[in-house]
Amino acid sequence: MHDPRDVFGLDGRVACVTGAASGIGSAVAEVLAGAGARVVLGDLDAAGAEENAAALRDAGGQAIAHAVDVAKREQVDALIARATSEWGGLDILCNVAGVPADGPLAELSDDEFERVVGINVKGTLFGCQAAIAAMSQRGGGSIINVASGAIDLAVPNYGLYAMTKAAITQLSQTLAVEVGGQGIRVNVIAPGVTLTNFTKRHLKNEDGSLNPERYEGFVDAMKAGSPLGMVGEPIDQAWLVLYLASDASRFCTGQIWRANGGATIPR
Ligand SMILES: NC(=O)c1ccc[n+]([C@@H]2O[C@H](COP(=O)([O-])OP(=O)(O)OC[C@H]3O[C@@H](n4cnc5c(N)ncnc54)[C@H](O)[C@@H]3O)[C@@H](O)[C@H]2O)c1
């Protein structure tokens, strides 16, 4: 008999999650810890990562926080080294940290290009490289990278962000082919609109408070794009990540996974 609790369980595994102070990364860390993994929560927001790690420990999980700017290779190397020094190796890496970028491509500056590519693309690549070195010593592992529904659509003023997420997708598929022989799986999720600080950035008043009318208008517009009439929550991505991190997905690599309410079905 197959026991789902064994196959989906992560007892004894070591996981590292970037962007774990907020939104999708926070939910991913919670679900992986709940499934039994020991989790390193990495984020630029060190206080937020520590707050989430402490909440996971209070709930009986094993979790530590580690400050990291994913755009800096030496800091990403130190993040992965923290997991291996603390718990003896690395089995799962979720590269969730990422930033949005707004504005027309025709006006894109070099500085903004470097900033966003530095975090979204280089940050993901640095994480994969450090994780592959650690996982290959352990005989395998699972890497989950985060793209976006933006890879499926051409949305005005969102070109730079979409370019970085398309790059993450290609990076993930190529890596899957390169490292499959070492037992390392690499998958990429392309989340649909998910209510987090990321999506709230356009919906705030000048003083930083949330504008309820704009917020509700946004949520309604996003729901209208989904055949299910839904907008996503971080936990919707975290359940998918649990599948990809676990042995339940042992036959899956190099694929794009879309929890997006069906919003990108060609119609
Ligand atoms: N929210 C959505 O609708 C949506 C949709 C598709 C894809 N995504 C992607 O999901 C990921 C998480 O987004 P979210 O919605 O949870 O956003 P969020 O803003 O709630 O969380 C992002 C986290 O990343 C951290 N971060 C930013 N720059 C960093 C850096 N240089 N180094 C380390 N940490 C850094 C932030 O401090 C924050 O804690 C992003 O990659 C985003 O592109 C989000």
Side-chain angles (χ1 to χ4, degrees):
M1 288 286 286
H2 298 291
D3 186 339
R5 286 163 300 192
D6 286 343
V7 179
F8 283 88
L10 300 177
D11 281 345
R13 309 282 169 93
V14 179
C16 191
V17 181
T18 70
S22 173
I24 294 170
S26 171
V28 166
E30 179 189 340
V31 165
L32 297 185
R38 293 166 283 179
V39 184
V40 183
L41 290 85
D43 205 291
L44 202 54
D45 173 4
E50 177 49 38
E51 193 179 319
N52 286 345
L56 296 179
R57 289 193 297 270
D58 288 347
Q62 295 186 72
I64 53 173
H66 187 96
V68 63
D69 179 350
V70 297
K72 301 204 165 94
R73 181 188 283 282
E74 66 281 4
Q75 292 193 23
V76 177
D77 287 347
L79 174 74
I80 301 300
R82 180 80 191 276
T84 57
S85 67
E86 199 82 28
W87 286 315
L90 183 74
D91 304 292
I92 299 156
L93 171 67
C94 304
N95 282 308
V96 185
V99 290
D102 302 304
L105 284 175
E107 294 167 20
L108 176 61
S109 70
D110 291 357
D111 284 351
E112 178 68 347
F113 180 83
E114 298 294 343
R115 182 184 75 84
V116 179
V117 168
I119 298 169
N120 290 2
V121 183
K122 285 188 180 174
T124 300
L125 175 65
F126 295 157
C128 291
Q129 290 175 320
I132 288 164
M135 289 173 178
S136 59
Q137 302 201 349
R138 206 144 153 109
S142 176
I143 297 174
I144 298 109
N145 293 327
V146 178
S148 163
I151 63 171
D152 295 316
L153 306 161
V155 179
N157 299 318
Y158 223 37
L160 173 58
Y161 177 76
M163 284 161 61
T164 65
K165 293 302 186 177
I168 289 169
T169 304
Q170 186 60 39
L171 154 74
S172 305
Q173 294 187 309
T174 304
L175 265 184
V177 174
E178 291 179 350
V179 299
Q182 297 168 58
I184 301 171
R185 299 185 292 110
V186 188
N187 285 286
V188 56
I189 65 169
V193 177
T194 303
L195 297 175
T196 66
N197 289 329
F198 185 98
T199 36
K200 289 175 187 159
R201 73 192 185 283
H202 289 311
L203 313 169
K204 293 188 173 166
N205 298 311
E206 276 181 14
D207 66 1
S209 61
L210 203 62
N211 181 314
E213 276 175 26
R214 283 171 68 191
Y215 187 67
E216 278 167 31
F218 170 81
V219 170
D220 286 346
M222 293 302 116
K223 282 181 177 172
S226 157
L228 298 173
M230 283 177 68
V231 64
E233 294 176 15
I235 194 69
D236 295 310
Q237 304 306 321
W239 295 130
L240 180 54
V241 169
L242 173 62
Y243 172 68
L244 294 171
S246 75
D247 292 342
S249 62
R250 66 177 194 162
F251 195 40
C252 306
T253 195
Q255 303 303 312
I256 306 169
W257 301 80
R258 294 174 169 85
N260 67 9
T264 57
I265 299 169
R267 280 171 280 174

